[in-house]
Amino acid sequence: MAEKQPVGVALIGAGMIAQTHVKALSDACPVVRLDKIVSRHPERAQHLAAHYKGKTPQFISDLSAVTSDPAIQMAIVATPPSVRDDIIAPLALAGKHILLEKPVARTTDEAIRVVDICENAGVKLGVLFQHRVRPPAQVAAQIIAKGDLGKLGHVEVVVPLWRDQSYYDELGRGTYARDGGGVLLTNGIHSIDLALSFTGPVTSVQAMTATSPLHRMEAEDFAVAGLQFANGAVGSLVASTATFPHGTEVITLHFERASLRMTKDELITSWRDGRVETTAQAPADPNEVHLTGGKTVWHQKVIENFADAIRNDHPPLVTGREALAAHRLITAIETSSRTGQRVDVTT
């Protein structure tokens, strides 16, 4: 049997997260091959070549060089949400499969339009929710799937992050025009997506969001919400980029027979009969930088999954359609905060 050729990739966007993508693509060789990096200022992106062990990719500013290249099968779109409309449609119409950095778009309506464009064009749309491939999350999914935990009753999602003011001093960061929002859409969406993958949908929320005195920004850096789930469980979400020192996201799921407490490095299962099991523990990585997407291996696994989805025609780890659940919940939280009312989550 002939060896499969690597999937040709273009990286669209050369901002803060681009280095993580390039390293991940390098480590994913020979499953994928990075051919082009598209940037508004290609000369400023040249430093990224040092992080790729394969043939040096071409640095360009013209998206048409990607859409017209038959060797490129997929594009990783790592741009701010504000410019997605100008990128997604040409790529989809050219038959390029798209792996999208979160969020899908600035608003739920925009996100639905992005998903519809890709589905109508017949291309795969994946969303890079790399927290799904963390070892603790994967072990938790296996434990829940066994069905031994009983009914889910209580959910806690805590996202205690810190961002210095310099983070928001970047042009457009934390604005509705560029990012679509603050801590929820830019940071907390990872934990929201992961939690929903375990719990199923939220039906209603009562919430408050705010901008703390610790940041100068347009959108929120703090959010708190009470959650009612379709399966009868209740829960809470607290997310902030005004929590110093920078912490780790924690998802705790309280079932009838045990509680699962999950961080990025470990999963603690506390059974009601007194047993405590700690699994998927990993030492802290001194090279991990919380502003650049964490461990490169998480991005690598998502990229490899997406390449396999293209080769073997199966859905990617998180489809664009599936990602809409997190967007709809965030919209409901924002609406509840604005109106002061309990808000139903649309489906």
Side-chain angles (χ1 to χ4, degrees):
M1 182 180 293
E3 184 177 351
K4 291 185 177 181
Q5 293 298 309
V7 174
V9 181
L11 174 61
I12 317 296
M16 180 184 294
I17 198 65
Q19 181 174 308
T20 297
H21 281 294
V22 173
K23 287 182 177 180
L25 286 162
S26 182
D27 292 338
C29 292
V31 176
V32 294
R33 181 192 64 248
L34 177 58
D35 289 341
K36 291 180 171 63
I37 296 178
V38 181
S39 171
R40 288 178 298 177
H41 306 284
E43 69 283 355
R44 300 180 190 174
Q46 297 288 331
H47 66 93
L48 293 171
H51 302 286
Y52 189 68
K53 65 186 178 185
K55 181 181 178 181
T56 301
Q58 182 182 6
F59 291 85
I60 58 175
S61 60
D62 187 0
L63 187 65
S64 65
V66 173
T67 58
S68 63
D69 188 345
I72 294 178
Q73 296 166 269
M74 65 175 272
I76 298 176
V77 178
T79 64
S82 57
V83 296
R84 297 278 166 84
D85 280 353
D86 297 331
I87 295 172
I88 299 298
L91 289 172
L93 291 174
K96 310 302 181 183
H97 303 287
I98 299 168
L99 181 56
L100 192 60
E101 263 293 344
K102 57 75 193 167
V104 176
R106 293 174 296 184
T107 67
T108 297
D109 286 344
E110 287 183 3
I112 292 171
R113 185 164 69 243
V114 166
V115 171
D116 287 345
I117 287 172
C118 292
E119 289 182 349
N120 291 337
V123 300
K124 297 184 186 299
L125 175 64
V127 184
L128 225 152
F129 283 127
Q130 70 269 17
H131 291 198
R132 294 272 196 115
V133 300
R134 289 172 167 176
Q138 294 182 319
V139 173
Q142 293 168 4
I143 293 173
I144 294 170
K146 290 180 180 178
D148 297 333
L149 298 172
K151 188 176 180 61
L152 179 65
H154 178 204
V155 177
E156 299 173 87
V157 182
V158 182
V159 186
L161 310 181
W162 170 252
R163 295 293 187 262
D164 190 80
Q165 181 58 41
S166 60
Y167 177 79
Y168 293 110
D169 287 342
E170 179 184 334
L171 184 62
R173 175 77 70 183
T175 66
Y176 294 104
R178 194 194 89 151
D179 288 350
V183 62
L184 288 171
L185 202 59
T186 302
N187 312 101
I189 193 171
H190 278 296
S191 296
I192 291 171
D193 167 76
L194 181 57
L196 291 176
S197 74
F198 299 128
T199 66
V202 172
T203 56
S204 65
V205 302
Q206 180 84 51
M208 185 197 85
T209 65
T211 306
S212 78
L214 301 179
H215 287 130
R216 299 182 303 277
M217 56 185 292
E218 181 184 13
E220 86 290 344
D221 67 354
F222 172 82
V224 59
L227 312 173
Q228 179 70 59
F229 292 85
N231 59 15
V234 295
S236 62
L237 164 70
V238 180
S240 170
T241 54
T243 306
F244 186 86
H246 181 80
T248 185
E249 306 96 326
V250 182
I251 296 174
T252 308
L253 307 172
H254 300 281
F255 293 86
E256 286 180 305
R257 301 187 186 96
S259 294
L260 307 183
R261 184 183 187 276
M262 186 189 331
T263 70
K264 63 184 177 64
D265 290 324
E266 69 177 7
L267 172 69
I268 299 175
T269 305
S270 301
W271 293 91
R272 298 291 183 265
D273 61 11
R275 289 175 294 144
V276 178
E277 300 169 351
T278 301
T279 56
Q281 194 167 12
D285 182 354
N287 297 317
E288 184 179 331
V289 181
H290 67 260
L291 291 182
T292 56
K295 297 178 181 179
T296 304
V297 68
W298 300 335
H299 282 71
Q300 177 188 343
K301 288 181 178 180
V302 177
I303 290 169
E304 289 173 342
N305 168 272
F306 194 75
D308 188 73
I310 294 171
R311 282 175 162 175
N312 296 302
D313 193 24
H314 62 75
L317 179 67
V318 183
T319 67
R321 181 68 61 183
E322 185 179 0
L324 293 178
H327 278 270
R328 289 183 170 118
L329 176 53
I330 290 172
T331 296
I333 291 171
E334 294 170 337
T335 302
S336 177
S337 176
R338 185 171 62 252
T339 63
Q341 302 295 316
R342 187 185 186 98
V343 172
D344 292 336
V345 181
T346 60
T347 58

